[in-house]
Amino acid sequence: MFRSTLAAAIAAAALPAAAQISYGGYTFHDDAFADRAEVNEAGGFFVHGAATIDEALTGFTPDSGLFNIGSTSGPDPFANDFTLHFDDLAAVDGAGPDIVLFDLRYSRDSYEIAVISGGSESAFLFYDFSTQVNTGESQLGGAAIAWAVEIDLADYGVTNAEAIRFRAGPSDTSVGTPQADPTMAGVLNIPAPGSLAVVALGALAAHKRRR
């Protein structure tokens, strides 16, 4: 059983690298985008460019998303709450941002984001609209520009994460209707190719020493 599990791990780690997707100055593995979306608190919002919330927020979908999720300072007094799961590739802590959440900005909206690591959820951290990055990517026929919310796992004190939980935070009510428009999220820092094989070989060596 040990040998078959080890062989499977090494084979998986040795698979050729998949294609990459470049967007807004970021480069992602093509499996790095969220795989599942979960609604934790329902509320008034619109699904755009997709049939379901799951389709709108998962995969590489820059022209689909949710419009007007409520925020504590907006027309909806309750901030809608969502979880995005990265089943194919979990994030690891590395240099710079580890996960990016994209917002199709119509108004300057902040976010509150938690990360889930090893099944444990962190506290929410606040991401002010002024810290978000203008990607220069024009979407929806030029009606909106994609802005990036950069998430660094070091800020949460964890080394990996398999999901993020987010909601709209207090927004700038002086410019536009304060309701956020999330479109997609992707993992930037992933386990290095071959790292699983290194771990597996180490386990094999330890197994041999015990025999």
Side-chain angles (χ1 to χ4, degrees):
M1 177 65 179
F2 177 85
R3 288 182 178 177
S4 61
T5 302
L6 175 66
I10 294 175
L15 289 175
Q20 294 182 324
I21 295 174
S22 294
Y23 182 78
Y26 303 95
T27 300
F28 299 92
H29 187 288
D30 68 352
D31 287 332
F33 294 92
D35 300 287
R36 289 182 291 129
E38 183 179 349
V39 181
N40 304 309
E41 179 186 316
F45 57 85
F46 304 96
V47 179
H48 174 80
T52 66
I53 294 172
D54 209 55
E55 290 178 6
L57 293 177
T58 61
F60 179 65
T61 54
D63 270 319
S64 69
L66 304 183
F67 284 178
N68 299 347
I69 68 172
S71 70
T72 54
S73 62
D76 182 350
F78 302 101
N80 304 141
D81 190 312
F82 307 89
T83 299
L84 294 179
H85 299 268
F86 304 100
D87 297 327
D88 292 337
L89 289 173
V92 297
D93 184 33
D98 305 304
I99 303 170
V100 180
L101 173 67
F102 292 97
D103 177 89
L104 295 182
R105 182 176 287 192
Y106 287 89
S107 55
R108 299 192 294 195
D109 300 297
S110 300
Y111 281 87
E112 294 174 350
I113 302 174
V115 300
I116 299 172
S117 176
S120 297
E121 183 176 307
S122 73
F124 282 92
L125 296 184
F126 179 65
Y127 292 81
D128 188 74
F129 65 83
S130 64
T131 66
Q132 297 169 19
V133 178
N134 185 345
T135 69
E137 295 285 352
S138 178
Q139 303 298 151
L140 306 177
I145 299 293
W147 286 67
V149 183
E150 297 184 336
I151 302 165
D152 189 340
L153 296 183
D155 293 337
Y156 297 87
V158 299
T159 58
N160 57 75
E162 66 269 18
I164 61 171
R165 183 172 178 176
F166 70 89
R167 59 197 183 202
S171 302
D172 180 8
T173 56
S174 67
V175 180
T177 301
Q179 293 177 309
D181 307 292
T183 178
M184 61 183 178
V187 170
L188 279 177
N189 286 325
I190 62 176
S195 61
L196 292 178
V198 172
V199 172
L201 290 173
L204 177 60
H207 179 70
K208 287 183 175 179
R209 286 196 298 268
R210 288 196 299 267
R211 291 181 65 181

